Amino acid sequence: MGKKLLAAGQLADALSHFHAAIEGDSDNYIAYYRRATVYLAMGKSKAAIRDLSKVVELKQDFTSARLQRGNLLLKQGKFDEAEEDFKKVLQSNPSEKEEAEAQSQLMKSNEMHHLHSQAQSAFLREEYYAAIGLLDEILDVCVWDAQLRELRAECYIKEGEPGKAISDLKAAAKLKSDNTEAFYKISTIYYQLGDHELSLSEVRECLKLDQDHKECFSHYKQVKKLNKQIVSAEELIQEGRYEDAIDKYKTVMKTEAKVSVYTTRAKERICHCLSKSQQSAEAIKLCSEVLQLEPDNVNILKDRAEAYLLEEQYEEAIQDYETAKEHSDNDQQILEGLEKAQRLLKQSQKRDYYKILGVKRNARKQEIVKAYRKLAMQWHPDNFQDEEEKKKAEKKFIDIAAAKEVLTDPEMRRKFDAGEDPLDAESQQGGGNPFHRSWNTWQGFDPFSSGGPFKFKFHFN
C-alpha cells in the first residue's frame, strides 16, 4: 500500500503505511529504504539519512542505499563521511551505473573538500570576496551545509553588504535546529537596513526558540518600541494630523539616533507632513537636506515639488517632477503634478491673481478680502487727477477686482489653482472674453461688499 501511495504522489499517506510496516517488522530494510524515499520527496533529508543508515546497518551490501546516503552527506558538506560511502560502493562489486556514479561523486567530494580548505584560508586572510567566490562554487554542490552558508553570510557582512547575507542566514536557520544565532543576525541586519517590521518578525522567531535569550530579548524591546512609534506616526498621517505626526517622528529620531536610516526616513516623513500642511518653506529646507543624501528619492522629490508650487517656484517644481519621472515614469501623481506645474508656470507668465492682491496661494478668504479692500482704496481712479495716472489706476483697479472675484469664488479659485484662468478666453472655450472688462463695468461696484460690518460706497461722475 505504501508503494502504491508513493507512486500516486500521496506522500503523507504513504509515510503512514511505511511507519506501520516498520512497526510490524523492524528488520525490513526495504521498508526503511522506501520510507527514506518518501522523506526525500517531502524534503526531510535528515530523516532520510537516518533510514538509509538503518538500511546499510541491516544490509551492508545494499549499494543503492549507501550511494544515496553518500550523495545526501555530500549535500550536507560532510565530505569525510560521503567519501567513505563512495569508496565502499566501489569496493562492493557495484553495477556499472553505480560504479560510474560513485567514482564521479568521489571526485566531486574531493574537489569540494579542497575548495573548502581554500575558502577558510581566504576568510582568515580577510580576503572575503575571494572566499565568497569559492563558497559559491561549493554551495552549488553542498546546498544543505548550514556552516558554509553562515560563513558566506559573514563574508558579505564583513564586506559591508549585509543584505546579501540574509538568504544564507535564513537557509541556515532552517538547516540547523534551534539556530537562535541565525535569527538574531537576520533581525539585526533588517534593523540596520531600516526594515523594522521584518526585524521584529525575525527576533520573535529567536525568542520562540529561547525566551531567555539575552541578546534577542534586548533587541526585541528596542525594535518593538521603535516599530510602535513609526506605526503610530503613520496612522496620524493617514488621519491628516500632520503636526502630531511630526512630533512622533521626532521621537523616532531620539529613540534610534545611532542607525542613520531611521533619521533619514523620519526626516522624509516630516518633510511630507510639512508639505501637506502647507509649511512650504520648512518643507523645502528639510526635503533638500534629505535629497543631499538620496538625490533619487521619488517621494521626497514629489513632496518638495508640491512645496515649490506653494512658494510659486514653478520652474523648480517642474525640475523635481521631471527628475522623479525619470525614476518612476508611470506614477500618476508625478504626471499630474508635472502637468499642473507647467500650467501654473505658463499662467504665472500671464496674470497671477495671487500676486495682484499680494497674498500667498494658500491664503484664506478673509486674508484675500482684506488685501482687496486695501488695494481697492489705494488704486481707485477717483484718487488720481492726471489722465495717464487715472488710466493706469483704472487698469489696476480692474485687475484687483477681477482677482477678488476669482479668489473668493471657490469654483473659480479651484480652476485657477489647477492652472486654468476662469476669466481668460483662452482657457474658456467659446464665448467672449470676460476678463477684459471696461472701467464702466465696475461703475457703482462696492469693493467692500464682503458681508462685513464696514461699508463704503464710491460715487462716480
Side-chain angles (χ1 to χ4, degrees), residues 16-28 31-32:
S16 297
H17 281 75
F18 286 125
H19 285 332
I22 289 168
E23 282 179 18
D25 182 2
S26 60
D27 293 331
N28 187 341
Y32 283 106

Side-chain angles (χ1 to χ4, degrees), residues 21 23 44 66 86 120 174 201 244 351 385 389 446:
E23 282 179 18
K44 297 180 178 181
R66 195 179 288 278
F86 297 138
Q120 286 181 317
K174 289 181 180 179
S201 174
D244 292 336
R351 184 181 299 226
Q385 301 304 316
E389 288 184 353
D446 178 3

Side-chain angles (χ1 to χ4, degrees), residues 75-91:
K75 285 186 176 183
Q76 289 185 342
K78 295 178 179 178
F79 304 113
D80 292 336
E81 294 175 50
E83 287 167 19
E84 186 181 347
D85 270 345
F86 297 138
K87 286 175 182 176
K88 284 191 176 178
V89 168
L90 292 171
Q91 294 166 3

Side-chain angles (χ1 to χ4, degrees), residues 209-244:
L209 296 173
D210 180 4
Q211 62 182 3
D212 297 321
H213 194 288
K214 190 176 178 181
E215 289 175 315
C216 282
F217 186 68
S218 175
H219 184 60
Y220 169 73
K221 288 194 295 183
Q222 171 68 4
V223 183
K224 186 180 179 184
K225 182 180 179 181
L226 187 74
N227 184 68
K228 186 177 179 182
Q229 290 173 351
I230 293 173
V231 169
S232 175
E234 287 302 311
E235 287 174 353
L236 290 168
I237 290 175
Q238 291 298 317
E239 294 168 9
R241 295 165 59 188
Y242 298 116
E243 289 300 327
D244 292 336

Side-chain angles (χ1 to χ4, degrees), residues 343-344 347 361 406 409-423 427-428:
R343 285 200 309 267
L344 288 170
Q347 183 189 89
R361 297 191 77 87
V406 170
D409 182 290
E411 181 59 25
M412 293 175 79
R413 184 176 180 180
R414 184 192 64 74
K415 287 183 178 180
F416 185 72
D417 286 344
E420 176 185 336
D421 189 339
L423 300 183
S427 298
Q428 305 294 318

Side-chain angles (χ1 to χ4, degrees), residues 278 309-312 314 340 344 347 352 354 359-363 413 416-419:
Q278 300 190 333
L309 289 181
L310 290 170
E311 289 291 307
E312 301 174 20
Y314 305 124
K340 179 180 178 180
L344 288 170
Q347 183 189 89
D352 189 329
Y354 290 104
V359 295
K360 288 193 173 183
R361 297 191 77 87
N362 58 352
R413 184 176 180 180
F416 185 72
D417 286 344

